[in-house]
Amino acid sequence: MGETGGDVNSNLLIPSSTGDPELDLAVCQWLRWDKNPKTKAQIETLLQNGKNKELRERLCCRMSFGTAGLRSPMGAGFSCINDLTIIQTTQGLYHYLERSFPDLKKKGLVIGYDTRGQVTSNSSSIRFAKLTAAVLLSKGVPVYLFSRYVPTPFVPYAVHKLRAVAGVMVTASHNRKEDNGYKVYWANGAQITSPHDKEILKCIEQHTEPWDQSWQENLPDSSPLARDPLQEITRSYMEDLESLCFHRHINMKTPLKFVHTSFHGVGHDYVQAAFKVFGFSPPIPVPEQKDPDPDFSTVKCPNPEEGECVLELSLRLAEKEGARVVVATDPDADRLAVAELQDMGRWKVFTGNELAALLGWWMFYCWDKSCSDRSDVTDVYMLGTTVSSSILHSIASKQGFHYEETLPGFKWIGNRVKSLLDDGKTVVFAFEESIGFMCGTSVLDKDGVSAAVVVAEMAAFLDSNRVTMEQQLETIYETYGYHISKTSYFLCYDPATIRRIFERLRNYSGPKRYPQFCGPYGILHVRDVTMGYDSSQLNEKSVLPVSKSSQMVTFTFQNGCVATLRSSGTEPKIKYYAEMCGSPGQGERSFLEEELKKVIDSLVENFLEPSRNGLICRCV
């Protein structure tokens, strides 16, 4: 976290009511710079009521770029998302782009947004997007500002298609309704990684005082440098989507019905259009969740990854309409959850790893059937993250294509995919276990819109052969070995507690000594990418890049289980990921499930210590 700093007017009259010089300066800066009456009033009220602790939390530290750029609650203060911090961030971004791209004022920048908003701070994604545009337009930078909310993947897609130098998407994805965010894409169409994130943050801190023109929210409406790319990009995206359609004749006549929920977000119109491209009848929308609603009023949590408990309306509608498959896009439509009706009225909600097994199999099957030369398989790649299932690695080993792992997050996947494409390789699929899927390479990011219609085509194809998706998943496991995985999390709102938990693991039985056992389970290897350590390597250095921005430790157990503990980059969570793998053709499922459960119970009890650390268990 950086200090507020920068562009201080030495003649400023500093209020002395807090008794804290640093806080007094921050308060004075805020009250001088903020032109949003509601957020300005929030700070004034806290000051009048002597709420110095909250003032310090809001004003004496600044957001830093994490896994997904900026993400924080909306509201007043330098640590929150609001008009002023959006302007400051864009001013810093402008200075970094100006330094990085001599042709910035020729190529321009893409800006998209979702439908989030907060009345109490007069905040909304569209307002933040227009302020972002105003900052850049005031400096003569062309801006491609969508005139309507769009799925997050439309921004990286547009960056590539329009050959812009960068893109900004204003979204907090599936976070709680109080949050918003600012995600940055580089000229290659992938999310920014280091050193760009650190350098942008430096530029933000050097240019904190807003320029007068930065507050011209309506400038995009009149500037000749502003252009609306909505129609062009939507048309081009849908045309490119056709390259993923292999069985249009089956899609057109399938008896399968589909239900789609957009979780009160942006996805409805775009998923409808995607299904039309593939020749399907329109999916049945969940009426209560079809239209944007920043309060996400019908769900406790706007994250379809939570499973059946948040898919209730979709599943009941599917039962009523006789639909066997439900596809659910999260609020910014970059993630996808899928459920399938089984015998006896039971619903199977697939995990991200299970969907990846199905989609990986399907994408390779389609590539294989359409490829004239099977020897090309040596140039075919799929990618996943280190905390995702290794099922695609097992498929790759048998089928002859390549599988690579990256650090968690599509910023790592997207940039690696771009490198592979530049080297002439073919990437057919990539995923992360948190229901993020990339089918093809039109978008170098996860994309719930394309994944939804690809799943629909796979389901229709399987149905034409009288096979369900769950049955196909079982066939995949029988062919390549059972891969039984479990992912969950604990909530922890205290960053110091999270740090303490991981530091204990690094000094478990003495200074710089990692644990050798977890309860009764012996540990074979430890990898700590936060510190760059990997005991499985001769030099004990991690092959994966060191990532100091989050905590992540992986344990390989003597019984074959691989388990990772990791802090989330976007939410107050400690996540755990664990997997047990069996051999092809061996019916070990029940044993693997039982053994995995025992290891996870021991991992939670011995390493996370929820009661002692005040961790809140995930509610399902």
Side-chain angles (χ1 to χ4, degrees):
M1 302 290 280
E3 296 303 312
T4 55
D7 293 22
V8 178
N9 186 335
S10 59
N11 297 320
L12 215 54
L13 181 63
I14 308 297
S16 58
S17 52
T18 72
D20 179 337
E22 181 190 18
L23 180 55
D24 286 345
L25 176 58
V27 168
C28 196
Q29 286 177 331
W30 186 271
L31 296 180
R32 177 172 171 249
W33 292 343
D34 188 15
K35 294 186 179 181
N36 181 321
K38 290 194 174 182
T39 47
K40 188 172 186 176
Q42 288 176 14
I43 297 301
E44 289 173 334
T45 300
L46 291 171
L47 185 64
Q48 291 164 7
N49 294 335
K51 302 288 187 181
N52 289 4
K53 182 175 182 294
E54 185 174 347
L55 279 171
R56 172 165 278 281
E57 290 172 351
R58 287 175 175 267
L59 294 172
C60 290
C61 57
R62 181 173 296 284
M63 295 174 288
S64 58
F65 276 82
T67 304
L70 299 177
R71 198 171 288 185
S72 193
M74 289 178 279
F78 296 117
S79 64
C80 297
I81 298 280
N82 50 65
D83 291 1
L84 179 53
T85 54
I86 288 289
I87 286 171
Q88 291 176 322
T89 299
T90 309
Q91 290 181 175
L93 178 62
Y94 163 75
H95 279 284
Y96 185 62
L97 293 176
E98 184 185 41
R99 197 168 80 200
S100 304
F101 297 99
D103 53 358
L104 168 64
K105 294 183 178 180
K106 178 182 177 184
K107 290 192 169 183
L109 185 138
V110 176
I111 303 170
Y113 51 92
D114 66 11
T115 55
R116 286 176 175 262
Q118 185 183 76
V119 174
T120 55
S121 59
N122 191 26
S123 297
S124 67
S125 294
I126 186 171
R127 178 179 173 86
F128 293 153
K130 293 181 80 170
L131 286 170
T132 299
V135 171
L136 296 162
L137 291 168
S138 73
K139 292 297 181 180
V141 177
V143 164
Y144 299 95
L145 174 65
F146 285 97
S147 58
R148 185 175 187 260
Y149 54 80
V150 291
T152 289
F154 271 44
V155 170
Y157 179 83
V159 169
H160 173 68
K161 280 292 175 181
L162 300 172
R163 298 181 179 177
V165 301
V168 170
M169 178 68 188
V170 180
T171 181
S173 190
H174 58 274
N175 274 40
R176 60 188 194 140
K177 67 180 182 180
E178 291 84 2
D179 292 351
N180 216 322
Y182 187 100
K183 182 181 286 193
V184 180
Y185 293 88
W186 203 240
N188 63 0
Q191 294 178 43
I192 59 167
T193 57
S194 190
H196 300 313
D197 51 357
K198 295 179 179 63
E199 293 301 315
I200 291 170
L201 187 59
K202 284 181 188 176
C203 288
I204 294 169
E205 292 171 343
Q206 291 165 2
H207 302 278
T208 52
E209 184 163 2
W211 311 321
D212 288 341
Q213 308 97 311
S214 295
W215 288 96
Q216 298 179 47
E217 180 191 351
N218 294 321
L219 185 57
D221 299 332
S222 58
S223 173
L225 293 175
R227 179 178 151 199
D228 174 18
L230 181 64
Q231 289 189 2
E232 176 186 351
I233 292 303
T234 302
R235 181 179 63 253
S236 178
Y237 174 92
M238 295 301 167
E239 288 172 355
D240 285 349
L241 192 59
E242 288 187 50
S243 67
L244 299 177
C245 180
F246 296 92
H247 301 279
R248 186 180 175 86
H249 61 289
I250 293 177
N251 303 341
M252 293 176 69
K253 62 184 182 182
T254 181
L256 273 186
K257 289 183 179 180
F258 301 90
V259 161
H260 170 242
T261 173
S262 52
F263 265 70
H264 299 294
V266 306
H268 172 73
D269 291 342
Y270 302 98
V271 170
Q272 293 276 318
F275 269 65
K276 184 177 181 181
V277 166
F278 271 52
F280 285 108
S281 298
I284 304 163
V286 178
E288 301 93 330
Q289 298 174 338
K290 177 175 71 72
D291 298 320
D293 173 10
D295 290 326
F296 306 114
S297 52
T298 68
V299 289
K300 182 179 179 182
C301 164
N303 184 0
E305 192 183 357
E306 295 293 333
E308 194 163 344
C309 63
V310 294
L311 295 172
E312 184 72 21
L313 287 174
S314 312
L315 303 183
R316 300 297 80 82
L317 177 64
E319 290 166 357
K320 177 184 173 184
E321 296 286 346
R324 209 179 75 206
V325 177
V326 169
V327 291
T329 48
D330 71 340
D332 68 326
D334 66 347
R335 296 172 192 255
L336 178 76
V338 177
E340 182 183 53
L341 185 62
Q342 309 300 316
D343 294 338
M344 308 298 292
R346 175 181 66 88
W347 282 96
K348 164 70 176 176
V349 181
F350 296 95
T351 68
N353 285 328
E354 290 171 336
L355 270 179
L358 285 164
L359 282 168
W361 161 79
W362 175 248
M363 294 301 293
F364 183 75
Y365 174 85
C366 292
W367 174 86
D368 195 29
K369 293 297 181 185
S370 62
C371 181
S372 58
D373 186 357
R374 189 63 167 72
S375 65
D376 291 345
V377 72
T378 55
D379 283 332
V380 172
Y381 282 73
M382 292 192 195
L383 288 86
T385 69
T386 57
V387 297
S388 300
S389 172
S390 60
I391 181 62
L392 295 190
H393 179 269
S394 298
I395 297 175
S397 297
K398 203 162 184 176
Q399 296 295 341
F401 63 87
H402 297 272
Y403 176 73
E404 286 193 6
E405 283 187 345
T406 71
L407 287 173
F410 253 87
K411 68 178 182 180
W412 301 104
I413 291 176
N415 281 282
R416 179 55 184 153
V417 169
K418 183 63 169 67
S419 296
L420 289 168
L421 295 176
D422 289 345
D423 288 341
K425 308 302 181 184
T426 299
V427 180
V428 296
F429 180 67
F431 84 105
E432 57 183 359
E433 52 69 42
S434 52
I435 61 172
F437 310 104
M438 188 190 85
C439 300
T441 55
S442 290
V443 177
L444 297 184
D445 201 358
K446 55 187 176 288
D447 182 354
V449 177
S450 60
V453 73
V454 169
V455 163
E457 179 169 85
M458 174 177 63
F461 174 85
L462 290 170
D463 183 67
S464 71
N465 289 281
R466 298 185 179 180
V467 177
T468 67
M469 286 189 287
E470 186 174 48
Q471 289 168 342
Q472 179 60 31
L473 180 64
E474 188 69 15
T475 299
I476 291 169
Y477 286 149
E478 288 173 357
T479 306
Y480 303 104
Y482 283 99
H483 289 61
I484 309 301
S485 59
K486 167 79 172 178
T487 300
S488 194
Y489 61 81
F490 287 88
L491 292 168
C492 182
Y493 295 95
D494 180 23
T497 298
I498 295 175
R499 286 193 299 271
R500 187 173 66 247
I501 288 170
F502 282 90
E503 283 307 308
R504 174 174 171 265
L505 295 176
R506 296 182 180 112
N507 303 278
Y508 199 77
S509 55
K512 297 184 179 180
R513 294 185 64 182
Y514 291 86
Q516 296 177 308
F517 286 87
C518 179
Y521 297 99
I523 295 172
L524 194 61
H525 297 298
V526 178
R527 181 180 64 202
D528 183 350
V529 296
T530 307
M531 306 305 292
Y533 171 79
D534 188 343
S535 67
S536 71
Q537 301 297 314
L538 287 175
N539 61 2
E540 296 192 338
K541 293 189 181 299
S542 174
V543 176
L544 290 166
V546 177
S547 180
K548 296 277 188 182
S549 60
S550 64
Q551 306 281 354
M552 190 170 88
V553 180
T554 300
F555 302 95
T556 301
F557 290 89
Q558 290 175 355
N559 66 357
C561 180
V562 178
T564 296
L565 299 176
R566 171 179 170 256
S567 61
S568 171
T570 57
E571 299 169 286
K573 294 177 179 178
I574 300 177
K575 297 184 174 183
Y576 65 80
Y577 314 78
E579 183 172 51
M580 294 282 295
C581 301
S583 303
Q586 297 185 13
E588 311 172 22
R589 183 170 195 139
S590 59
F591 167 76
L592 293 172
E593 288 174 340
E594 186 178 339
E595 192 75 355
L596 183 67
K597 183 181 184 305
K598 290 178 182 176
V599 174
I600 290 173
D601 289 345
S602 185
L603 191 80
V604 169
E605 179 185 349
N606 291 283
F607 289 173
L608 292 182
E609 302 179 299
S611 298
R612 179 182 176 187
N613 290 309
L615 307 183
I616 303 168
C617 184
R618 173 188 183 184
C619 295
V620 179

